[in-house]
Amino acid sequence: MTTEQPFADNWPGERPEAARRLLGAAVESFASRGFHATTTRDIATGAGMSPAALYIHYPSKAALLAEISREGHSATLALVEAAVAKSDQPREQMRLLVEDFTAWHARGHTVGRIVNYELRALPEEDFAVVAELRRRIEDTVKQVIEDGIAAGVFTDTHTRTAARAITGLGIDVARWYNERSTETPEQLGIRYGELVLRMLGAV
Amino acid sequence: MTTEQPFADNWPGERPEAARRLLGAAVESFASRGFHATTTRDIATGAGMSPAALYIHYPSKAALLAEISREGHSATLALVEAAVAKSDQPREQMRLLVEDFTAWHARGHTVGRIVNYELRALPEEDFAVVAELRRRIEDTVKQVIEDGIAAGVFTDTHTRTAARAITGLGIDVARWYNERSTETPEQLGIRYGELVLRMLGAV
């Protein structure tokens, strides 16, 4: 079973090692106690640092949440766009998209929960950035549905609702998936891909 | 648009008025700040009572969470069983079940979030009770799928995964639905019902 967590130890981009450790510790604290009950001291302690050392890298715990949320959403958008770029057939685009999106939320369920369930704790400006990334993810899914309907391979449907259902299915995996789940992230992705293609009436 | 929240003001069962007020205040506090960051004082204040008066009714904030979670899950199980009892045709049972389950999580999104996203904060014994209610909800959905496959009206599928996907779709509605959503809970239920029937290959 694949259990590695995206970003758990290896955050993308150029970052001082201390910042990486702080992000990892923030993920652990937010996941176990929620954002509001976590203190900067909890995070610093988790990273083996003093609160003063934390402030060198992040002005607040909200800044850490914002970075986790931006990275998580950017990675998800990149994954969705990459899946679509792999084919010019809406049916195949959707299958790849759902497989990867689902597996990502299973593999990265801890980050996935924070990223999706602590949105309202984000400072206003960060929320706007993340909301835009979410809109682009959903619009990409919606475009594939519309292309499939236009090509006659998907049944005509309320595309906004279907896009919401498809992204929601994947996001919900972060809620319940854990290391004891009997399906691997990849197996679950394949099964959800089949369910979604049927949901769209794919021929 | 229907915006009333199940239980917000009118908790089921025989309860002193003070207990109802405390449950309502606990829902508000848990929803806005999370369980861990909420104090019994927050809840008492929200209910217009002293912390001492709270303890007459509930020994802890965990006892309030447990009651909210049990009531929410019991109501959802009752709703799912009632939908199944309305027909003897799996296709119709599933349509009614998804419509009601989805509309419930839209209408009761605040309670729905607490009930589904604060499970790990439950005391062990209460968690066991709630886990059993969740198992029965999912088993009911799974049974309808199996009946439909046996009757030849649903496509053969991995029933446990399909049941998880169907309940997950409805639960996920509590995450994103709010008073500004353009679909009413009932409209959303109807659309999700159609998507799920297609997902099952219903004929």
Side-chain angles (χ1 to χ4, degrees):
Chain A
M1 195 176 338
T2 313
T3 53
E4 85 264 21
Q5 298 272 324
F7 310 158
D9 302 308
N10 190 20
W11 290 79
E14 295 277 327
R15 271 195 192 79
E17 199 264 334
R20 289 172 192 270
R21 268 195 289 148
L22 286 166
L23 287 166
V27 165
E28 289 309 310
S29 294
F30 294 157
S32 61
R33 322 182 58 209
F35 173 78
H36 290 288
T38 295
T39 64
T40 48
R41 180 173 291 276
D42 293 332
I43 298 169
T45 305
M49 292 162 59
S50 69
L54 179 150
Y55 291 119
I56 296 172
H57 301 282
Y58 294 98
S60 64
K61 65 171 179 167
L64 278 153
L65 177 66
E67 180 131 2
I68 293 164
S69 197
R70 272 199 314 275
E71 289 292 351
H73 282 92
S74 296
T76 314
L77 175 60
L79 167 161
V80 162
E81 290 180 341
V84 171
K86 276 186 200 143
S87 172
D88 57 3
Q89 302 297 316
R91 191 186 194 290
E92 181 67 1
Q93 289 173 325
M94 185 57 77
R95 189 180 65 73
L96 291 167
L97 187 161
V98 173
E99 285 182 6
D100 292 354
F101 191 76
T102 302
W104 194 94
H105 285 86
R107 212 177 293 123
H109 55 86
T110 308
V111 168
R113 274 176 213 149
I114 296 164
V115 155
N116 286 294
Y117 301 134
E118 298 281 15
L119 280 178
R120 282 171 302 169
L122 285 174
E124 201 173 329
E125 278 179 37
D126 298 298
F127 180 81
V129 172
V130 167
E132 170 63 15
L133 290 167
R134 292 178 81 86
R135 202 184 56 70
R136 286 166 64 190
I137 292 167
E138 207 164 296
D139 282 352
T140 305
V141 176
K142 186 162 165 275
Q143 188 62 53
V144 176
I145 301 173
E146 287 172 357
D147 291 348
I149 294 171
V153 293
F154 294 158
T155 302
D156 196 12
T157 195
H158 196 277
T159 56
R160 175 59 68 196
T161 304
R164 182 57 64 91
I166 291 164
T167 53
L169 260 184
I171 289 167
D172 184 68
V173 168
R175 176 182 59 82
W176 60 265
Y177 194 88
N178 62 43
E179 281 65 28
R180 298 184 306 284
S181 295
T182 52
E183 294 161 305
T184 65
E186 292 69 29
Q187 282 174 332
L188 188 65
I190 289 168
R191 288 173 182 169
Y192 269 35
E194 287 168 4
L195 291 174
V196 165
L197 285 184
R198 273 215 303 263
M199 178 192 270
L200 294 171
V203 292
Chain B
M1 194 176 340
T2 313
T3 54
E4 85 265 21
Q5 298 273 325
F7 310 158
D9 301 309
N10 190 20
W11 290 80
E14 295 277 327
R15 271 196 192 78
E17 199 262 335
R20 287 172 193 270
R21 269 195 289 149
L22 286 166
L23 288 166
V27 165
E28 289 308 311
S29 294
F30 295 157
S32 61
R33 322 182 57 208
F35 173 78
H36 291 287
T38 296
T39 64
T40 49
R41 180 173 291 277
D42 294 332
I43 299 170
T45 304
M49 293 162 59
S50 68
L54 180 150
Y55 291 119
I56 295 173
H57 300 282
Y58 294 99
S60 64
K61 64 172 180 167
L64 278 153
L65 177 66
E67 180 132 2
I68 293 164
S69 197
R70 273 199 313 273
E71 289 292 351
H73 282 92
S74 296
T76 314
L77 175 61
L79 168 160
V80 163
E81 289 179 342
V84 171
K86 276 186 200 144
S87 172
D88 57 1
Q89 301 298 316
R91 192 186 192 289
E92 182 68 1
Q93 290 173 325
M94 185 58 76
R95 189 180 64 74
L96 291 167
L97 187 161
V98 173
E99 284 182 6
D100 292 353
F101 192 77
T102 303
W104 194 94
H105 284 85
R107 212 177 293 123
H109 56 85
T110 307
V111 168
R113 274 176 212 148
I114 296 165
V115 155
N116 285 295
Y117 301 134
E118 297 281 15
L119 281 177
R120 283 171 302 169
L122 286 173
E124 202 173 329
E125 278 181 36
D126 298 298
F127 180 82
V129 173
V130 168
E132 171 64 16
L133 290 167
R134 292 178 80 86
R135 201 185 56 72
R136 285 166 64 189
I137 292 167
E138 208 165 296
D139 282 352
T140 305
V141 175
K142 185 162 165 277
Q143 188 61 53
V144 176
I145 301 173
E146 287 172 357
D147 292 347
I149 294 171
V153 294
F154 294 157
T155 302
D156 195 13
T157 196
H158 196 277
T159 56
R160 175 60 67 196
T161 305
R164 182 56 65 90
I166 291 164
T167 52
L169 261 184
I171 290 167
D172 184 68
V173 167
R175 176 183 59 81
W176 59 265
Y177 194 89
N178 63 43
E179 281 66 27
R180 297 184 308 284
S181 296
T182 51
E183 294 161 304
T184 65
E186 292 68 29
Q187 282 173 333
L188 188 65
I190 289 168
R191 287 173 182 170
Y192 269 35
E194 288 168 4
L195 291 174
V196 165
L197 285 184
R198 274 216 301 264
M199 178 192 268
L200 294 171
V203 291

